[in-house]
Amino acid sequence: MLGVALGIAVMIISVSVVIGFKHTIRDKVVGFSSDIVVSNYMTLQTLDQSNPVTADEKLIDRLKKIEGVKRVQRYSQKQGVLKTNNDFLGVMFKGVGEDYDTTFVASNLIEGKIPQLSMYKSTQQLLISKNMADKLKLKVGNKVYAYFLSDDDVRARPFTITGIYQTNFSRYDDVVCYTDLYTVSKLNGWRMTKDILQVTGCEMQVTNFDSLDVISARVRSKIDNTYDSQMHTLSSCTVYDMSPQTFAWLDLLDLNVWIILILMICVAGFTIVSGLLIIILERTATIGLLKALGARNSLIRKTFRWLALSIVIKGMFWGNVIGIGICLLQQYFGIVKLDPTAYYVREAPIELNWLIIALLNIVTLIITTAVLVIPSFFIGTVRPAKTMRME
């Protein structure tokens, strides 16, 4: 019973941790870059941020009408350097407007507030990460100069730090800072008027991330190789295309889960097989007596299998109690801490998927029931005359 309970508990905890970790990292990547991005074809092909798209209301309406798209928001990017009296740091300025969903940024804000976001005026406000603040020794309320290189000159812009965020995802925390859309687009030399809004691209959020491939196919069929109002060629890509290494790494975690599940099911199976063999050996005399009284082998095998199955079910019950209990404790109290520099999270993430837990129980029950058939055939080798003579 203890072996089955431990096997079920380990499987539930392993699956919950891996699902929680994958979804936490995925949400951080999506939070920085969105589910689908529509941009200039040359920008996506060459990563050259100097090619804009005209994201007027006509284009936004086209994108919003695609089935499965929940939200569309404009953004612009520009590389620059933050400089203080003692140090400097190269960063990526991401400009966003009033239509930007700040839920992700707000959930990771640790100090100050989100800058005032605008598409039609410069606010000179900046949101930086804790990594940047520590390296440059900046605090909320400090002023800092940013320098931007162009073909023929260097432009400087003053900014006021209004907030500091931290996601513990160093790949982005080290480089991404937020300001208003107008400032970044103008630094790129693009037009920002009521009629013409030139930006790096449009970020699209989907209604169901599990259907991302289907929705992205619709976007490609309706947007790719078409043109905006200024005849810029449009193209699209998904978050998988933008961060292939991250998602390939997350997919490798599935292999670890499968190995753990197979090992735990094997442990539970061998445990219950050995347990049933021990029960049969201890009850050899009883088996012989039952046979002498006319009981068939099939009836005796069925009796012992039901006995072993009751032990399995009790073990599974306590395994679920232990596994789900530990997951809930971690989910609400964060008992197990992690190094964010290595794991990108401060606490072991947990996500209980009740469907997967139910499937784990069903599969375990089916497999253990199947393997009980093997030791039960040992009953057929018991001879009543020998067992009764021994007694």
Side-chain angles (χ1 to χ4, degrees), residues 125-173:
Q125 296 180 354
L126 192 65
L127 174 70
I128 63 174
S129 70
K130 188 176 185 302
N131 292 8
M132 299 176 192
D134 292 341
K135 290 176 182 177
L136 299 176
K137 296 179 174 58
L138 293 172
K139 297 180 180 179
V140 173
N142 290 165
K143 293 187 180 297
V144 62
Y145 272 89
Y147 295 86
F148 302 90
L149 304 177
S150 60
D151 294 335
D152 51 0
D153 64 348
V154 177
R155 286 174 289 176
R157 292 290 186 276
F159 287 95
T160 300
I161 307 298
T162 63
I164 298 173
Y165 75 89
Q166 183 180 23
T167 68
N168 297 310
F169 205 171
S170 57
R171 174 182 172 183
Y172 296 98
D173 285 5

Side-chain angles (χ1 to χ4, degrees), residues 179-296:
T179 187
D180 61 88
L181 181 64
Y182 181 85
T183 296
V184 178
S185 289
K186 294 299 288 184
L187 286 168
N188 282 320
W190 300 337
R191 296 177 63 182
M192 293 296 289
T193 65
K194 294 288 185 180
D195 298 324
I196 300 177
L197 288 169
Q198 291 187 317
V199 297
T200 300
C202 297
E203 295 179 343
M204 305 169 64
Q205 297 177 4
V206 299
T207 55
N208 183 6
F209 190 85
D210 294 332
S211 302
L212 181 60
D213 291 336
V214 176
I215 299 171
S216 64
R218 296 187 192 126
V219 174
R220 287 195 301 269
S221 64
K222 296 185 178 181
I223 298 299
D224 284 22
N225 298 321
T226 62
Y227 303 94
D228 62 13
S229 59
Q230 300 297 308
M231 300 307 294
H232 298 120
T233 305
L234 300 176
S235 185
S236 66
C237 66
T238 67
V239 66
Y240 295 122
D241 302 321
M242 292 181 283
S243 304
Q245 299 91 346
T246 301
F247 286 97
W249 165 55
L250 292 177
D251 289 338
L252 287 175
L253 296 178
D254 293 335
L255 177 61
N256 297 337
V257 174
W258 281 111
I259 292 174
I260 292 173
L261 293 180
I262 293 171
L263 287 176
M264 289 301 101
I265 290 176
C266 289
V267 167
F270 283 121
T271 301
I272 198 62
V273 166
S274 61
L276 182 56
L277 281 173
I278 291 171
I279 293 173
I280 292 172
L281 291 173
E282 286 184 340
R283 297 291 185 269
T284 302
T286 304
I287 295 171
L289 180 59
L290 290 172
K291 286 189 174 184
L293 294 173
R296 299 184 177 213

